[in-house]
Amino acid sequence: MSASGSGAPLGPQIVRLIRAFGEMAAAQASSDAATRSLRLSMLREKTEAYLQGFMRGDLAGESTSSLPEPSRLVQADLMVHVQDHGDTDWRPQLSECGSVGHGKRIEGFAVRLNPPVEEVSLRYKAHVSVLGDTSWFSDGEYCGTRGQKRRVEAIWIELAEGFDRFDIYYSAHLCRFGWTGWFKNGQMCGTRGEYRQVEAIKVFLAEKTQ
């Protein structure tokens, strides 16, 4: 069973909410007023993120249970630039690339095929705070900024060539929301104008079934 429009199983979401409410009750009983205030503030933000997971149909995408098998013929590797940490190493497809739970924004990213395949290529772009949508970048080129304190707020990834053979899927971890559902083939994943930074990305390539 899934929440309407959420793309996520309902049971685990309810368990997370119950635990958050339990933690809030425990925090209320704390004798230290400063500690109680800090814990309640953090838990309210966590609960808000869980509730938004039910409501934000525009961030639902596809659920994990409906996804095809990742390609073994060719993969999509990912690299991101994380606030205060710099560029990550290239990560294999389906790996979480970024910083979850530390409040660090992604400032840019790149995707490449591994190994390169003739007549198959990727392109991608981002929505960057203040600057807006970038132009399209291709196979391993860096998209975004470095050292300008500008957050990536949304991403698009698609096949420039080979779209008759493969689908490209991607998901983003958003500030005050958590992981979106899975988007594919040039769909927007993220937000515009909500000051909501992308904190991590996952991506994978799947072979089309005939």
Side-chain angles (χ1 to χ4, degrees):
M1 181 177 181
S2 296
S4 177
S6 71
L10 182 56
Q13 295 260 20
I14 290 176
V15 170
R16 293 168 74 189
L17 280 169
I18 291 172
R19 286 176 178 169
F21 289 136
E23 291 175 20
M24 291 178 74
Q28 289 278 19
S30 173
S31 58
D32 183 339
T35 301
R36 180 168 63 247
S37 177
L38 177 61
R39 288 183 64 190
L40 285 172
S41 176
M42 294 173 63
L43 287 166
R44 286 191 188 101
E45 183 170 326
K46 182 190 293 187
T47 303
E48 177 193 353
Y50 294 165
L51 288 171
Q52 288 190 33
F54 289 111
M55 304 303 295
R56 288 297 297 267
D58 58 330
L59 297 176
E62 295 187 32
S63 65
T64 301
S65 61
S66 68
L67 296 177
E69 287 293 321
S71 170
R72 297 183 180 181
L73 174 65
V74 57
Q75 299 192 17
D77 290 349
L78 179 66
M79 178 274 288
V80 304
H81 181 88
V82 179
Q83 171 191 354
D84 298 332
H85 293 292
D87 292 0
T88 66
D89 297 330
W90 285 96
R91 306 283 174 81
Q93 64 180 17
L94 287 174
S95 300
E96 294 183 8
C97 194
S99 177
V100 174
H102 300 284
K104 300 292 186 182
R105 64 182 172 268
I106 285 178
E107 299 180 352
F109 73 105
V111 191
R112 69 182 184 187
L113 295 176
N114 182 22
V117 176
E118 188 175 352
E119 296 184 350
V120 179
S121 62
L122 295 171
R123 69 175 196 163
Y124 41 90
K125 66 178 182 177
H127 182 81
V128 178
S129 59
V130 181
L131 301 179
D133 293 0
T134 69
S135 57
W136 290 97
F137 292 80
S138 301
D139 291 311
E141 295 179 338
Y142 183 76
C143 172
T145 63
R146 289 185 176 97
Q148 297 182 27
K149 300 182 179 179
R150 302 198 188 281
R151 61 188 170 273
V152 169
E153 297 180 353
I155 62 171
W156 296 256
I157 310 174
E158 65 182 26
L159 276 296
E161 297 178 282
F163 43 81
D164 57 332
R165 299 171 56 190
F166 296 96
D167 292 310
I168 184 77
Y169 289 83
Y170 42 97
S171 174
H173 188 277
L174 305 181
C175 174
R176 305 186 309 279
F177 180 82
W179 285 102
T180 68
W182 288 92
F183 293 80
K184 68 176 183 178
N185 299 339
Q187 295 174 325
M188 176 179 169
C189 177
T191 62
R192 286 189 181 103
E194 297 186 17
Y195 307 97
R196 194 184 298 273
Q197 65 196 21
V198 173
E199 297 176 339
I201 302 172
K202 295 183 289 189
V203 61
F204 77 94
L205 202 67
E207 296 178 51
K208 284 184 179 291
T209 56
Q210 300 299 324

